[in-house]
Amino acid sequence: MTFYSLGSHPGFAFTALFSTALSPYLSPRTSSVKCKGCFFTFQTSFYGVPQGSVLSPLLFIMYTTPLSTLISSLSLYHHLCADDTQLFLSFHPSDFQTNITHLQNALTQITSWMTSNLLSLNSCKTEFLLIGLKRQLAKIHNSSTSIGTSQSARNLGLIFREHLSFSSQISELSKSCYHHIRALRCIRPYLDLHTAKTIDTSIVHSELDYCNSLYYGLPKYQINRLLHIQNVLARTIVQAPKIPTHHSYSEISSLASSF
């Protein structure tokens, strides 16, 4: 990243004072690695920002702003999250081949922009996911295409599948939550109720609450899988048996309402 590359974008206008302050920050600097008291040869860095700098995220957003402008000019919806770029394209099954050609041309231009700006498009982590109804996807899968599709893809930690069933996501979530619940069950006898609730909220319920609005409208059997996690968690917190008595049932009900 250079100061010239930031200042060349028409959307940025730097004052003289800002330019004077930022230019030395991005100008070539020397660095060295110290290992067991020995310094390696100093090397000059012509690009990038100091590692761990508080300005790094902001400068990276500024640096990739022209990429957002380019994608918008290609009539594509997109999200940029740090170094993750997502493209969205809606089309009718009968227009599949035309839109795929358009998407491939867009990827070519994006790759060219990245190359000219010292970035790289990681083809190993590039995934193409088709989302639609079964009858819509059947028409597409029966047609010839030169691009390979993925059955699922991760988006900000969530697993999306072609039918948006979220079955894989709930399976992964259940696996993670039950792992934490088993660990909590081991130490529960040594914790008071308040501490146990705090651990529950920070570790297990934070996972259940993450983007939980996406689960709205899912089939009842999927929702029941999430409810079962909460029930097991509540029994672990109040140290209730698998078949609760009336007293333990009241405690579980009270705890569940507090969630």
Side-chain angles (χ1 to χ4, degrees), residues 43-219:
Q43 301 292 332
T44 302
S45 302
F46 295 95
Y47 308 100
V49 294
Q51 190 172 16
S53 166
V54 294
L55 283 179
S56 298
L58 176 61
L59 290 174
F60 185 81
I61 293 174
M62 296 172 65
Y63 189 68
T64 56
T65 296
L67 176 60
S68 179
T69 304
L70 171 63
I71 297 175
S72 297
S73 68
L74 298 172
S75 302
L76 292 174
Y77 296 103
H78 66 283
H79 286 159
L80 299 181
C81 182
D83 59 346
D84 184 33
T85 304
Q86 303 171 11
L87 306 180
F88 304 92
L89 184 62
S90 177
F91 56 87
H92 192 273
S94 59
D95 301 325
F96 173 70
Q97 201 59 50
T98 301
N99 283 274
I100 287 301
T101 301
H102 174 60
L103 183 60
Q104 289 175 322
N105 293 334
L107 288 175
T108 301
Q109 295 188 49
I110 292 173
T111 302
S112 177
W113 181 90
M114 288 187 170
T115 301
S116 62
N117 287 273
L118 306 177
L119 297 174
S120 176
L121 181 65
N122 191 340
S123 58
C124 297
K125 294 184 178 181
T126 302
E127 297 177 300
F128 177 63
L129 178 65
L130 281 171
I131 298 176
L133 300 175
K134 290 184 178 180
R135 62 176 181 271
Q136 293 175 326
L137 297 180
K139 297 177 182 178
I140 293 175
H141 290 159
N142 292 335
S143 63
S144 58
T145 175
S146 58
I147 188 171
T149 60
S150 301
Q151 295 296 320
S152 63
R154 281 191 176 273
N155 183 8
L156 299 180
L158 293 174
I159 302 175
F160 286 76
R161 294 188 64 84
E162 54 187 2
H163 302 309
L164 292 182
S165 63
F166 290 103
S167 57
S168 298
Q169 165 61 24
I170 294 179
S171 295
E172 286 293 318
L173 177 63
S174 300
K175 181 180 178 181
S176 176
C177 288
Y178 285 132
H179 169 76
H180 293 307
I181 291 174
R182 286 192 296 269
L184 178 60
R185 186 179 292 124
C186 292
I187 63 173
R188 178 63 186 93
Y190 310 102
L191 304 175
D192 59 76
L193 183 59
H194 176 73
T195 303
K197 286 183 178 180
T198 302
I199 295 176
D200 147 51
T201 302
S202 61
I203 298 180
V204 182
H205 256 277
S206 60
E207 292 194 36
L208 289 172
D209 291 341
Y210 180 67
C211 295
N212 59 7
S213 59
L214 293 175
Y215 304 140
Y216 178 78
L218 289 182

